[in-house]
């Protein structure tokens, strides 16, 4: 007997030495999965060879499934070293008695070995190989590692592998919470995956499931009443689609980092799914071939929390595969607030400055009209922006300069496209340029943040727990100063809302491009900025497609789905809140009969001679001294009005004046003459 045992031991040793090293490279290949900010699945991708093999571990699966799996497949899994001696001896005796393999005596570890090194034949040599590999696997990975590998590799029919992919494909949800019937079905299928596929052979699948339930009851995992109740549940008879939430964002993430198997985006799955439904429903109601896009940005962090690229990714009639958040389109009037912000920032206008809305021809070929083809006479800048009047916006753009306006948008990080071989002109005020929904949302978020445009964050780096702070990029750009940003936000919060919506809750602006091709609506509060686009992906005209009617209702609905109470930005302490009569005379009314450019038509152009732009002026403030900064201007038509950070300087009506700073820091100094010409500089006071 000793000789026989020794001979078997030597033979087994020699057999082990003939085996190549255990290679888990192919077994560790997983589907790429895109997760939301809390780790919930947004969209999986098949492996390169077309298999659905999603990462999963014991912690991701319902404990009842694990209990049934061990009771059915390997009752002594926690105790053996990879081989169950009792099961092996039973299988050997049956082989000797029947002269063929009746049962394999396979442990879960041996099944994993077969999945890691698949072989088609059933032989003693192959069985020995599995036994050796099972021991190797347990020594290398431990019980938890072996179980996790089974959960990811077990076959479930067709290209579906692993319990997580199977649960999504047959049950339509993650395997974290399963009923007894669902758990039993997922235990039963890997035994004969093609013959028991519930989408093809539901009768066989049900029979196998019920057998697992009977065994689970017999072995005390569940009681008999629970088993009988579970048998009454129907077996799913069709494959379900894998999740495809934030499909465009997921594709962009994979393209940016194709080697990453797990990527966590800053997307909020709940909000994303709700806004995708909203976009699909509203686009369908507006008309055929129309699509819609929605982008939501967390203003605090710059994180993109929702990116709806179309009204349905798989809707070919609406060209759903096109991501409209990245498409360059004409914004219509949606950029008007930034013209006003630039005018406010440079001391050219104030929300209560009077503007003329009358028929005017700016050039021989350019005489803009309002959307309603009427004119409103003299109005404040506040009313002009809230009503989206065209002539006042073009009037202000002529003052600040179209090239300067475009340069400011670009310096804030927005990609602006102009018609080929053309310089920036006054039509850019009404949408004569191209911009993406993403860039439009970013610069509006800058207004919501007090002028600081966020660098968009799309991935949680590194992967962190839910609720943790999202990494913010180091550099940010500026769209305007804090006071001007507050002026614009305060004005837009008073814009008339769409029908059946509450007024005064969010700051928002709409836009309609020339020819009714694009409808826009962008809104924000202190927390979030949401931008909406509606139109045809091919750019065709859609009569009646108007931002206020088509896009604004979607925007307000999107805010309600975001939830919570809107939070307006607090008023800066240096904001000038007054009526028109309380403004310095040059700010009360911008007149068309007076020159408005820095190059005044009469006399020397107005220019600040001191302090120089970008200079540092040491007034001894760091030592506690109290001193005045001299102000000096050249040219222009008196009287002059001096302003610092948007507030008038007392006694500042002459070419030479002085200002007493309250402390060190940056200051924007502006001067305006009687004709409306202005100049400004930024200096650092120390």
């Amino acid at each position: 007997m000793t000789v026989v045992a020794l001979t078997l031991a030597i033979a087994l040793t020699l057999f082990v030495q003939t085996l190549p090293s255990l290679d888990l490279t192919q077994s560790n290949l997983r589907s790429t999965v895109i997760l939301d900010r809390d780790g919930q699945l947004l969209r999986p991708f098949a492996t390169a060879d077309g298999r659905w093999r999603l990462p999963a571990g014991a912690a991701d699966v319902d404990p009842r499934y694990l209990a049934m799996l061990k009771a059915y497949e390997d009752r002594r899994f926690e105790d053996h070293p990879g081989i169950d001696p009792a099961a092996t001896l039973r299988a050997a005796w049956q082989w000797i008695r029947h002269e063929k393999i009746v049962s394999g005596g396979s442990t879960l570890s041996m099944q994993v070995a077969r999945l890691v090194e698949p072989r088609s034949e059933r032989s003693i040599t192959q069985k020995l190989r599995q036994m050796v590999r099972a021991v190797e696997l347990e020594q290398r990975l431990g019980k938890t590692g072996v179980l996790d590998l089974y959960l990811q590799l077990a076959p479930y029919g067709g290209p579906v592998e692993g319990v997580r992919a199977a649960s999504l494909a047959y049950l339509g949800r993650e395997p974290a919470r399963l009923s007894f019937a669902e758990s039993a079905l997922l235990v039963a299928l890997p035994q004969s995956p093609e013959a028991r596929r519930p989408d093809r052979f539901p009768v066989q699948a049900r029979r196998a499931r019920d057998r697992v339930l009977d065994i689970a009851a017999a072995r005390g995992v569940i009681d008999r009443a629970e088993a009988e109740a579970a048998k009454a549940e129907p077996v799913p008879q069709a494959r379900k689609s894998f999740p495809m939430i934030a499909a465009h964002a997921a594709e962009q993430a994979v393209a940016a980092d194709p080697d990453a198997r797990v990527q966590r985006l800053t997307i909020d799955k709940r909000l994303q799914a709700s806004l995708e439904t909203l976009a699909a429903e509203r686009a369908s109601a507006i008309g055929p071939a129309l699509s819609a896009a929605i982008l939501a940005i967390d203003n605090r962090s710059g994180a993109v929390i929702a990116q709806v690229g179309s009204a349905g990714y798989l809707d070919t009639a609406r060209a759903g595969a096109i991501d409209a958040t990245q498409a360059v389109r004409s914004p219509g009037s949606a950029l008007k607030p930034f013209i006003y912000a630039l005018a406010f920032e440079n001391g050219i206008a104030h929300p209560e400055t009077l503007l003329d809305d009358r028929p005017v021809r700016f050039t021989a070929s350019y005489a803009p009209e309002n959307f309603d083809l009427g004119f409103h006479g003299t109005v404040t800048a506040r009313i002009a922006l809230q009503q989206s009047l065209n002539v006042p916006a073009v009037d202000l753009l002529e003052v600040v300069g179209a090239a300067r306006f475009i340069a400011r948008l670009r310096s804030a990080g927005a990609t602006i496209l102009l018609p080929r071989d053309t310089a920036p002109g006054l039509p850019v005020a009404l949408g004569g340029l191209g911009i993406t929904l993403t860039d439009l949302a970013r610069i509006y978020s800058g207004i919501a943040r007090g002028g600081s445009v966020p660098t968009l964050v799309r991935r949680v780096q590194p992967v962190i727990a839910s609720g943790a702070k999202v990494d913010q990029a180091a550099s940010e750009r500026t769209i305007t100063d804090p006071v001007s940003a507050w002026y614009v936000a305060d004005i837009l919060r008073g814009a008339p809302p769409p029908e059946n919506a509450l007024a005064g809750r969010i700051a928002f602006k709409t836009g309609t491009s020339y020819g009714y091709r694009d409808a826009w609506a962008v809104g924000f509060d202190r927390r979030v900025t949401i931008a909406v686009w509606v139109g045809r992906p091919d750019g065709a005209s859609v009569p009646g497609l108007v931002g206020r009617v088509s896009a604004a209702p979607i925007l307000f609905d999107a805010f309600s789905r975001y939830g919570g109470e809107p939070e307006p930005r607090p008023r800066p302490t240096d904001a000038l809140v007054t009526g028109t009569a309380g403004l310095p005379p040059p700010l009360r009314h911008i007149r068309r009969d007076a020159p408005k450019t820095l190059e005044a038509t009469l006399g020397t152009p107005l220019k600040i001679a001191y302090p120089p732009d970008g200079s540092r002026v040491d007034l001894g403030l760091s030592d506690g001294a109290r001193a005045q900064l001299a102000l000096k201007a050249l040219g222009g038509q008196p009287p002059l009005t001096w302003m610092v950070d948007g507030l008038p300087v007392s006694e500042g009506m002459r070419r030479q004046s002085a200002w007493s700073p309250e402390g060190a820091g940056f200051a924007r100094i502006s001067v305006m003459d009687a004709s409306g010409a202005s100049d400004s500089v930024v200096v650092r006071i120390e």
Side-chain angles (χ1 to χ4, degrees), residues 53-257:
R53 184 190 286 179
L54 278 60
D60 305 314
V61 181
D62 194 309
R64 293 178 292 189
Y65 162 82
L66 295 176
M68 283 191 187
L69 175 67
K70 294 174 184 178
Y72 185 74
E73 294 282 7
D74 191 351
R75 283 183 291 170
R76 289 178 284 274
F77 174 72
E78 301 295 341
D79 302 320
H80 62 63
I83 305 169
D84 186 345
T88 302
L89 289 174
R90 183 190 70 245
W93 168 248
Q94 291 174 338
W95 172 64
I96 294 172
R97 181 178 179 183
H98 298 281
E99 298 183 350
K100 64 179 182 179
I101 296 176
V102 176
S103 64
S106 292
T107 61
L108 279 173
S109 305
M110 291 172 64
Q111 293 183 46
V112 172
R114 185 172 67 249
L115 296 171
V116 169
E117 292 184 338
R119 295 287 190 278
S120 58
E121 75 276 6
R122 297 187 68 186
S123 64
I124 294 298
T125 301
Q126 177 60 19
K127 186 61 65 175
L128 286 174
R129 184 186 184 107
Q130 291 175 13
M131 295 170 68
V132 172
R133 292 305 196 200
V135 175
E136 285 186 74
L137 285 168
E138 294 230 357
Q139 291 176 347
R140 180 187 297 190
L141 305 177
K143 292 291 183 183
T144 300
V146 169
L147 182 58
D148 288 350
L149 209 52
Y150 176 86
L151 296 177
Q152 296 178 67
L153 299 179
Y156 281 88
V160 180
E161 296 185 1
V163 67
R164 188 179 182 191
S167 183
L168 290 168
Y170 296 125
L171 306 177
R173 64 171 178 275
E174 296 277 6
R177 294 182 64 86
L178 301 170
S179 68
F180 289 126
E182 292 166 342
S183 297
L185 178 66
L186 295 179
V187 168
L189 295 184
Q191 289 292 314
S192 186
E194 293 302 330
R196 297 176 179 177
R197 284 180 58 170
D199 58 331
R200 293 186 179 178
F201 308 105
V203 175
Q204 291 87 331
R206 186 183 194 113
R207 188 180 300 122
R209 179 202 68 179
D210 292 350
R211 174 170 169 76
V212 172
L213 289 169
D214 287 336
I215 292 176
R219 294 177 178 172
V221 176
I222 59 177
D223 59 40
R224 179 54 60 183
E226 290 171 330
E228 294 304 318
K231 289 181 181 181
E233 289 188 24
V235 168
Q237 299 186 19
R239 275 270 306 270
K240 294 177 171 56
S241 299
F242 285 100
M244 194 174 286
I245 301 173
H248 297 96
E251 286 188 347
Q252 291 159 14
V254 171
D257 190 357

Side-chain angles (χ1 to χ4, degrees), residues 5-41:
L6 181 60
T7 301
L8 290 174
I10 294 173
L12 181 59
T13 301
L14 293 174
F15 176 74
V16 171
Q17 292 176 349
T18 64
L19 296 178
S21 299
L22 181 61
D23 184 5
L24 298 179
T25 304
Q26 293 299 315
S27 302
N28 287 327
L29 293 179
R30 303 286 180 269
S31 293
T32 296
V33 293
I34 308 299
L35 311 177
D36 84 335
R37 63 183 185 179
D38 296 321
Q40 298 186 63
L41 182 65

Side-chain angles (χ1 to χ4, degrees), residues 141-470:
L141 305 177
K143 292 291 183 183
T144 300
V146 169
L147 182 58
D148 288 350
L149 209 52
Y150 176 86
L151 296 177
Q152 296 178 67
L153 299 179
Y156 281 88
V160 180
E161 296 185 1
V163 67
R164 188 179 182 191
S167 183
L168 290 168
Y170 296 125
L171 306 177
R173 64 171 178 275
E174 296 277 6
R177 294 182 64 86
L178 301 170
S179 68
F180 289 126
E182 292 166 342
S183 297
L185 178 66
L186 295 179
V187 168
L189 295 184
Q191 289 292 314
S192 186
E194 293 302 330
R196 297 176 179 177
R197 284 180 58 170
D199 58 331
R200 293 186 179 178
F201 308 105
V203 175
Q204 291 87 331
R206 186 183 194 113
R207 188 180 300 122
R209 179 202 68 179
D210 292 350
R211 174 170 169 76
V212 172
L213 289 169
D214 287 336
I215 292 176
R219 294 177 178 172
V221 176
I222 59 177
D223 59 40
R224 179 54 60 183
E226 290 171 330
E228 294 304 318
K231 289 181 181 181
E233 289 188 24
V235 168
Q237 299 186 19
R239 275 270 306 270
K240 294 177 171 56
S241 299
F242 285 100
M244 194 174 286
I245 301 173
H248 297 96
E251 286 188 347
Q252 291 159 14
V254 171
D257 190 357
D259 296 327
R261 288 291 163 258
V262 178
Q263 295 195 46
R264 183 181 289 186
L265 305 185
T266 55
I267 296 288
D268 179 335
K269 182 179 181 179
R270 178 202 63 81
L271 180 63
Q272 176 75 26
S274 179
L275 295 186
E276 287 184 4
T277 301
L278 173 64
E281 292 175 349
R282 293 300 179 84
S284 178
I286 294 172
L290 280 167
S291 190
I294 307 173
L295 191 83
I297 300 173
D298 180 274
N299 290 331
R300 178 187 61 84
S301 64
V304 176
I305 56 176
Q307 180 184 339
V308 182
S310 68
Y313 181 79
L314 299 177
D315 190 341
T316 56
R318 303 179 190 277
I322 296 177
D323 183 2
T325 67
Q326 306 295 325
V328 177
R329 309 301 288 257
S330 167
S333 298
L335 288 178
K336 284 180 182 175
F338 302 96
I339 299 174
Y340 284 79
L342 192 56
F344 296 156
E345 177 184 304
N346 286 278
I348 294 170
H350 179 274
E352 304 308 322
T353 296
L354 296 178
L355 306 175
D356 291 329
D357 181 37
R358 295 185 175 89
V360 62
R361 185 173 296 277
F362 288 89
T363 66
S365 59
Y366 190 58
E369 296 177 329
N370 289 318
F371 189 79
D372 60 5
L373 302 180
F375 294 93
H376 297 248
T378 301
V379 295
T380 63
R382 179 182 301 276
I383 297 299
L385 182 53
Q386 289 175 347
Q387 298 292 333
S388 195
L389 303 180
N390 288 340
V391 172
V394 177
D395 204 8
L396 282 179
L397 182 62
E398 187 182 42
V399 178
V400 301
R404 189 179 183 189
F405 173 62
I406 295 299
R408 174 59 64 88
L409 296 178
R410 286 173 171 166
S411 69
T415 299
I416 302 295
L417 297 185
L418 296 172
R420 184 176 300 177
D421 301 326
T422 62
L426 296 181
V428 302
L430 308 182
L433 51 76
I435 190 173
T436 65
L437 185 72
T438 298
D439 278 343
L440 191 64
R442 280 187 66 240
I443 58 178
Y444 267 94
S445 180
I447 295 290
R449 290 159 50 98
S452 174
V453 177
T455 299
L456 294 189
V457 179
R458 297 182 181 274
R459 293 179 57 180
V460 179
Q461 291 282 8
V463 176
I464 52 178
S466 171
K469 183 178 180 180
V470 178

